[in-house]
C-alpha cells in the first residue's frame, strides 16, 4: 500500500501525523534533498513539502515533475503562505489542460 509523507520544519508538520501521514522533520536543504530522494524511491505516492523547504530544494523537486509518482505538493508552513504551492498547482493544470483555468475577478 502506498503511503503519504510530509516534509518540513517540525513546527509546520507535527500535526499531520494525526491525519495518518508520516512526518519527516528536515533542518537543512541537503537533508531535505536526500530525504526527498529516499521517499520518492520508496513506497510514497504523495509527498507534501512545506513551501519554505520546497524553495530550498526546488531543483530536486523539479527532477520528479515528469514522474507519475510520487506527487510532490507544496504546502504553507507556520511561517505563512508564499504562494509557491498555488503557483505549482496552476502550472500543473496549465500543462495538463493547456490553459489557465483560474480566473481572477479583481
Amino acid at each position: 500500500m502506498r503511503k503519504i509523507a510530509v516534509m518540513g520544519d517540525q513546527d509546520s508538520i507535527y500535526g499531520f501525523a494525526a491525519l495518518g501521514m508520516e512526518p519527516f522533520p528536515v533542518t537543512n536543504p541537503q537533508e531535505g534533498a536526500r530525504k526527498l530522494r529516499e521517499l520518492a524511491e520508496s513506497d510514497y505516492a504523495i509527498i507534501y513539502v512545506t513551501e519554505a523547504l520546497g524553495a530550498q530544494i526546488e531543483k530536486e523537486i523539479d527532477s520528479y515533475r515528469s514522474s507519475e509518482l510520487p506527487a510532490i505538493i507544496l504546502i504553507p508552513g507556520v511561517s505563512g503562505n508564499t504562494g509557491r504551492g498555488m503557483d505549482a498547482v496552476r502550472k500543473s493544470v496549465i500543462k495538463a489542460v493547456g490553459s489557465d483555468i483560474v480566473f481572477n475577478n479583481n
Side-chain angles (χ1 to χ4, degrees), residues 38-98:
E38 180 184 314
L39 296 173
E41 294 168 10
S42 298
D43 221 12
Y44 290 88
I46 302 171
I47 303 170
Y48 291 102
V49 179
T50 60
E51 290 175 332
L53 176 60
Q56 296 175 323
I57 62 169
E58 191 169 357
K59 186 175 180 179
E60 191 68 35
I61 291 172
D62 286 344
S63 69
Y64 294 100
R65 288 282 180 225
S66 62
S67 302
E68 186 175 322
L69 290 177
I72 301 172
I73 302 167
L74 298 178
I75 58 172
V78 295
S79 58
N81 185 352
T82 66
R84 284 181 168 281
M86 283 302 296
D87 189 47
V89 169
R90 189 178 130 280
K91 287 178 183 175
S92 294
V93 169
I94 290 170
K95 183 177 177 182
V97 177

Side-chain angles (χ1 to χ4, degrees), residues 4-8 10 13-18 20-26 39:
I4 301 173
V6 59
M7 295 174 43
Q10 179 68 35
I13 68 168
Y14 73 92
F16 286 92
M21 299 178 198
E22 292 188 52
F24 293 93
V26 175
L39 296 173

